[in-house]
C-alpha cells in the first residue's frame, strides 16, 4: 500500500508509528506546526492558511471561500498521487466540532474511493468501513463504538461484550456506542452500508 500522512491544525501528541519511507507527507494549513515540531519537511504544504496565520514558502495556496476543507484538499491530492492508505493527525481534537464532523465525512469519502484510512487523535482512532471487516487482538482494551453512516448498515460483531449477528444499525439511534473489549479477539464485519468506528488510541491500528 502507498501511504499518505496528513497533518491538520488541531491537537497532536505525536506519531503513532514511524512514517514509512515511501509515504507522501502533507501539511494542511496549521498542520505545518506539527511537522515543524517533529523536524519533518513535508512533501506538500497546502491550504488557505487562515489557521497558520501566514503563507509559507513553496506552498499551494487556496482561497478561504471554497468547497473543500484543507483536510479534503490534502486527501484529494493523496488520491491523485495513487495513495491508498491514509493517516490523518491533528484532525479530531480541536475546538471546532464542525471540523471534526467534517473529517468523519472525509473518512467516508476515502472509503468510498477504495482507500483505507485512520483518523488518529489524542484519545481515539476513527475509521470508516464499507463492506469489509476489521480485527482487533485479544490485547485490545477499553471502548469501541460504532455509528451508522447513511440509511442503515448491516453489521456483525464477534468477541466484544455485546455481539451482533447480521444486525442493522441506523443513523437515528446510537445502538453501537460504548461496546467493550473483554480479552478476546474481535471482528467487526460490515456486510452492507458504511460504519464509523472509534476506539482508544492506545490500541493502535488493527488488521483488516
Amino acid at each position: 500500500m502507498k501511504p499518505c500522512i496528513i497533518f491538520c491544525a488541531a491537537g497532536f501528541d505525536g506519531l503513532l508509528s514511524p512514517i514509512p519511507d515511501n509515504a507522501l507527507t502533507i501539511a494542511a494549513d496549521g498542520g505545518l506546526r506539527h511537522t515543524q515540531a517533529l523536524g519533518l519537511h513535508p512533501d506538500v504544504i497546502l491550504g488557505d492558511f487562515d489557521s497558520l496565520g501566514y503563507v509559507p514558502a513553496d506552498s499551494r495556496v487556496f482561497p478561504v471561500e471554497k468547497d473543500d476543507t484543507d483536510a479534503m484538499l490534502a486527501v484529494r491530492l493523496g488520491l491523485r498521487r495513487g495513495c491508498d492508505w491514509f493517516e490523518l493527525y491533528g484532525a479530531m481534537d480541536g475546538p471546532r466540532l464542525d471540523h471534526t464532523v467534517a473529517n468523519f465525512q472525509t473518512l467516508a469519502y476515502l472509503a468510498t474511493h477504495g482507500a483505507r484510512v485512520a483518523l488518529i487523535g489524542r484519545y481515539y482512532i476513527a475509521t470508516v468501513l464499507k463492506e469489509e471487516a476489521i480485527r482487533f487482538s485479544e490485547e485490545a482494551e477499553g471502548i469501541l463504538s460504532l455509528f451508522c453512516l447513511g440509511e442503515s448498515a448491516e453489521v456483525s460483531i464477534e468477541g466484544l461484550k455485546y455481539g451482533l449477528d447480521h444486525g442493522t444499525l441506523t443513523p437515528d439511534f446510537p445502538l453501537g456506542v460504548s461496546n467493550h473489549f473483554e480479552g478476546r479477539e474481535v471482528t467487526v464485519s460490515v456486510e452492507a452500508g458504511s460504519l464509523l468506528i472509534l476506539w482508544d488510541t492506545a490500541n493502535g491500528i488493527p488488521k483488516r
Side-chain angles (χ1 to χ4, degrees):
M1 303 186 79
K2 180 173 175 55
C4 180
I5 313 299
I6 298 171
F7 295 87
C8 301
F12 174 74
D13 281 347
L15 294 170
L16 193 64
S17 59
I19 296 176
D21 291 337
N22 67 331
L24 173 66
T25 56
I26 303 175
D29 200 323
L32 182 63
R33 295 192 185 98
H34 302 320
T35 62
Q36 291 171 335
L38 292 169
L40 174 67
H41 299 284
D43 298 309
V44 180
I45 304 168
L46 56 74
D48 55 30
F49 301 107
D50 60 346
S51 296
L52 190 62
Y54 68 93
V55 177
D58 300 320
S59 59
R60 301 186 182 191
V61 183
F62 294 83
V64 173
E65 295 181 356
K66 59 187 184 305
D67 292 335
D68 290 343
T69 63
D70 292 331
M72 182 60 82
L73 291 172
V75 159
R76 289 184 188 271
L77 176 60
L79 288 172
R80 290 197 301 271
R81 294 280 185 93
C83 297
D84 52 6
W85 169 253
F86 289 75
E87 295 180 8
L88 281 76
Y89 290 94
M92 191 157 27
D93 298 298
R96 293 284 303 273
L97 179 59
D98 54 344
H99 275 277
T100 300
V101 175
N103 289 329
F104 290 156
Q105 290 190 317
T106 301
L107 296 182
Y109 178 87
L110 282 165
T112 299
H113 285 76
R116 292 183 174 180
V117 58
L119 196 69
I120 302 167
R122 288 171 168 165
Y123 310 105
Y124 287 98
I125 297 174
T127 194
V128 168
L129 298 184
K130 288 178 68 70
E131 299 178 8
E132 59 177 323
I134 194 168
R135 296 172 178 84
F136 295 83
S137 75
E138 66 275 7
E139 298 176 353
E141 297 179 332
I143 300 295
L144 185 146
S145 293
L146 316 171
F147 302 95
C148 172
L149 295 178
E151 294 183 0
S152 65
E154 183 182 348
V155 181
S156 293
I157 301 170
E158 299 177 12
L160 291 174
K161 181 175 182 179
Y162 306 108
L164 195 62
D165 184 15
H166 298 282
T168 299
L169 298 184
T170 62
D172 56 0
F173 188 80
L175 180 63
V177 72
S178 297
N179 213 327
H180 297 262
F181 293 105
E182 293 196 318
R184 299 188 297 266
E185 290 187 356
V186 169
T187 299
V188 177
S189 303
V190 181
E191 288 88 20
S194 298
L195 200 65
L196 172 67
I197 304 179
L198 299 99
W199 63 91
D200 296 337
T201 299
N203 291 323
I205 298 175
K207 297 179 181 179
R208 293 201 187 181

